[in-house]
Amino acid sequence: MNFFLNQGMGHGNSGVEHAQFYRAQCFLDRQLPFKIIFTDLLQDLHVHMREWHLPENQVIGLYDFLLATNPFDYLDNGLPAEEVQKSHEKILIDQTDTQRIITTQSSGNYQIRRLRDKIFSTEKNIYIVDDAHVFLTKGDHQVEWSYRQGPGEKVMQDIHLTNFLGEDYYFFTFDELVTFFLNQLAAHFGQNTYFVDRGTFYDETLVRQKAAGSTQKIVGMVHANHKVSEENGRILFNNFYQYTLDHLDQYDAVVVATKAQKAALKADLQGHTAEKNLDKIYAIPVGGVTHLGQAKTRKNQKLNLVTASRLHEEKHIDQIIDAVQVLVERGQDVNLTIYGAGAEDQKLAQQIKDLGLTNRVVLAGLSQHMTKDLQRHDVFVSASYSEGFGLTYLEALGQGLPVASYANNFGAKELIHPGENGYLADFSTSDANRKSNVDQLADAILSCFQDYDRLSAGAIASCQPFLTENVADQWVKLEEELS
């Protein structure tokens, strides 16, 4: 079995989840078996699975498994349809109007009971209310644990698993529980390949087992820039990938999304790992297109722009809005539709209002039909400083939209060919150069409307290597080399 290891998913997802969904489609097309694994406590998991069209037999939730009457039937088939429901909760408050007990009936048909502590923080000078003890119950099956405050975050401890196949278990840490879980997967499915998409605890457990003689295959998935900085000749790797890159002897493969990142990673690893480990690095796109749209023609002088991403600070959507303002000041008739959700939603709404752009810029929320929605626009815009691949770039290009983007490493530079399917804007990560960044992004946007019809045709042509059938062949080749 092939396992895609992750922590959680929801109504809105990051590029990591979308990369998993796309890989799942490639595996389905080539009849390669797979399961997507989530280990977070997700009360709405099954609702969100339906929202993203993930069948029950493609997903394994850790707590669904631990609480199942027949855990191994659940591993094979998922949750029975009649057990899936919308979650609902009841909150008990104390005399100070503080939430003390939250009881939730999850979408997986088990009860979640959270007991909460109210503790005064001298550092923040406020009372903090947070979970102290959690009980999960389904019939006569139960999982419970408490929390202790670790460095920067709370940590699960004292985990009790009751009546798992008639036995009771105790785990001091979450890592011990994960080890138990992975052992159960190995016992049921036999020889497996684990694609570690998110969760360094997976890496540590699997590497420890591999060093002890396990024959299971481990594939490290690199979804972002692997390097943070370089100081005094020493490379500081991204914390998400540091453990992987330090233990490459125990990995069977590492997959990056672009050829450029493969070359950069191999160069950065020179002297950091054994030479033989450099041959374990593969470049396979984390996204692609199933069907290509039609090249577009420009019908009027309006600049009809679109962007789509999580509304988080690192995506710099605010700079795209500022670029719209620059274009308005230059006398352009421009509008922008922003698809996505996230923590920056209200901040961006206020920015749009303050700049007087409410009739030009729309926060359209999440799209479940991105391909169709993109077709209504002319140019896709991105202001991200870093993209491991850029799934939305590819979705836009596949529908004939030229792309204007900051010239970020790997994603933009791999997919956008200036003058052929879009334009790139130079940028600086320094806040002092923000205005210059925005001006150059505005220039790139305008360039996309010059000789627009040719750029749109170029966008379609540039997607040929990323057709799903071509990407699926690369996953098959990797599978063959790992077997």
Side-chain angles (χ1 to χ4, degrees):
M1 180 61 67
N2 296 289
F3 292 111
F4 305 162
L5 304 180
N6 200 346
Q7 292 173 255
M9 65 166 288
H11 177 59
N13 294 296
S14 73
V16 174
E17 286 72 55
H18 287 286
Q20 287 189 312
F21 302 162
Y22 180 73
R23 191 187 319 139
Q25 186 58 55
C26 290
F27 275 51
L28 276 174
D29 290 349
R30 291 297 183 269
Q31 298 182 324
L32 299 173
F34 72 91
K35 300 277 187 178
I36 305 175
I37 305 288
F38 297 115
T39 53
D40 282 353
L41 178 57
L42 305 167
Q43 66 186 47
D44 291 313
L45 172 61
H46 300 273
V47 173
H48 293 139
M49 283 167 55
R50 289 183 173 181
E51 187 176 355
W52 290 99
H53 312 293
L54 296 176
E56 284 289 331
N57 62 1
Q58 290 181 6
V59 174
I60 297 172
L62 172 61
Y63 299 105
D64 288 294
F65 168 67
L66 296 175
L67 294 166
T69 302
N70 187 334
F72 297 119
D73 179 73
Y74 169 74
L75 291 182
D76 290 331
N77 302 308
L79 203 64
E82 62 271 16
E83 291 193 29
V84 177
Q85 57 185 281
K86 287 187 177 180
S87 65
H88 54 87
E89 67 181 24
K90 177 181 178 181
I91 300 174
L92 182 65
I93 60 174
D94 65 13
Q95 291 83 357
T96 64
D97 203 30
T98 300
Q99 295 182 355
R100 287 296 189 174
I101 302 176
I102 302 177
T103 304
T104 305
Q105 190 67 22
S106 76
S107 64
N109 199 31
Y110 58 85
Q111 185 187 82
I112 306 170
R113 193 163 182 260
R114 296 180 172 94
L115 308 185
R116 316 198 86 191
D117 272 348
K118 182 178 183 180
I119 301 173
F120 185 77
S121 169
T122 54
E123 179 183 349
K124 298 182 178 179
N125 198 34
I126 58 171
Y127 280 99
I128 296 176
V129 179
D130 206 350
D131 295 344
H133 208 99
V134 178
F135 298 86
L136 311 182
T137 306
K138 186 176 184 179
D140 56 0
H141 304 276
Q142 187 175 77
V143 185
E144 64 172 292
W145 65 85
S146 59
Y147 287 106
R148 62 178 172 82
Q149 189 61 41
E153 62 178 349
K154 61 182 184 179
V155 178
M156 286 175 65
Q157 67 175 9
D158 294 326
I159 304 163
H160 296 254
L161 173 59
T162 302
N163 192 23
F164 179 84
L165 295 174
E167 299 290 336
D168 298 340
Y169 295 87
Y170 171 83
F171 309 98
F172 180 61
T173 65
F174 179 68
D175 286 350
E176 291 180 6
L177 178 63
V178 170
T179 300
F180 174 81
F181 176 48
L182 294 178
N183 286 340
Q184 297 296 317
L185 295 180
H188 184 64
F189 290 101
Q191 182 63 49
N192 304 313
T193 300
Y194 297 90
F195 295 80
V196 186
D197 286 291
R198 179 184 279 125
T200 54
F201 52 83
Y202 288 123
D203 293 279
E204 294 176 16
T205 299
L206 291 167
V207 165
R208 187 169 58 248
Q209 291 178 332
K210 196 75 173 281
S214 168
T215 61
Q216 306 289 344
K217 304 290 186 178
I218 315 174
V219 180
M221 301 300 302
V222 177
H223 292 284
N225 196 337
H226 60 273
K227 184 168 73 173
V228 175
S229 64
E230 190 169 344
E231 297 181 8
N232 301 320
R234 178 181 172 84
I235 294 173
L236 298 179
F237 290 109
N238 185 322
N239 281 341
F240 289 112
Y241 311 120
Q242 181 74 59
Y243 188 89
T244 301
L245 301 179
D246 285 347
H247 296 82
L248 278 177
D249 287 344
Q250 304 299 340
Y251 284 76
D252 298 278
V254 171
V255 177
V256 297
T258 66
K259 295 175 182 177
Q261 187 168 19
K262 176 182 176 179
L265 181 56
K266 291 181 75 169
D268 292 337
L269 286 173
Q270 290 286 344
H272 183 82
T273 190
E275 192 73 20
K276 64 179 181 180
N277 288 331
L278 302 182
D279 294 330
K280 298 178 180 180
I281 303 172
Y282 295 78
I284 302 178
V286 296
V289 289
T290 304
H291 303 288
L292 296 177
Q294 297 294 317
K296 298 165 69 71
T297 57
R298 190 175 183 191
K299 297 173 181 166
N300 54 53
Q301 294 303 304
K302 182 182 284 290
L303 309 185
N304 189 13
L305 312 178
V306 63
T307 192
S309 73
R310 291 176 295 118
L311 304 186
H312 283 235
E313 184 178 9
E314 66 270 18
K315 297 299 183 180
H316 305 291
I317 305 296
D318 59 319
Q319 295 189 30
I320 301 178
I321 296 170
D322 280 348
V324 169
Q325 177 68 9
V326 168
L327 291 169
V328 170
E329 291 171 354
R330 294 182 186 179
Q332 299 292 331
D333 185 7
V334 55
N335 59 46
L336 168 68
T337 301
I338 301 169
Y339 291 103
E344 293 276 290
D345 190 289
Q346 294 302 313
K347 181 179 177 181
L348 296 175
Q350 188 61 50
Q351 178 188 6
I352 293 166
K353 181 179 179 181
D354 291 345
L355 291 175
L357 296 175
T358 53
N359 62 331
R360 294 184 179 274
V361 181
V362 177
L363 290 168
L366 285 171
S367 169
Q368 297 296 329
H369 309 283
M370 198 68 246
T371 298
K372 182 178 179 181
D373 288 332
L374 284 169
Q375 293 169 356
R376 295 196 290 265
H377 307 281
D378 297 323
V379 167
F380 185 90
V381 186
S382 171
S384 179
Y385 291 177
S386 175
E387 286 290 348
F389 182 68
L391 285 168
T392 50
Y393 293 164
L394 197 57
E395 290 176 328
L397 292 169
Q399 297 307 310
L401 276 69
V403 174
S405 172
Y406 285 145
N408 58 65
N409 284 331
F410 310 135
K413 290 182 179 179
E414 180 91 358
L415 297 174
I416 311 307
H417 312 298
E420 296 179 16
N421 62 356
Y423 282 91
L424 298 175
D426 291 332
F427 70 99
S428 167
T429 58
S430 169
D431 289 341
N433 295 316
R434 188 180 188 284
K435 185 180 185 304
S436 175
N437 289 353
V438 169
D439 287 339
Q440 292 184 83
L441 183 60
D443 290 340
I445 292 170
L446 280 177
S447 295
C448 285
F449 286 93
Q450 298 170 10
D451 202 4
Y452 177 86
D453 295 2
R454 182 181 60 82
L455 286 177
S456 178
I460 297 291
S462 68
C463 289
Q464 285 290 338
F466 300 101
L467 284 169
T468 300
E469 59 193 68
N470 296 329
V471 178
D473 287 342
Q474 296 180 57
W475 286 115
V476 170
K477 183 178 179 182
L478 175 60
E479 285 279 293
E480 291 172 347
E481 294 187 15
L482 291 177
S483 62

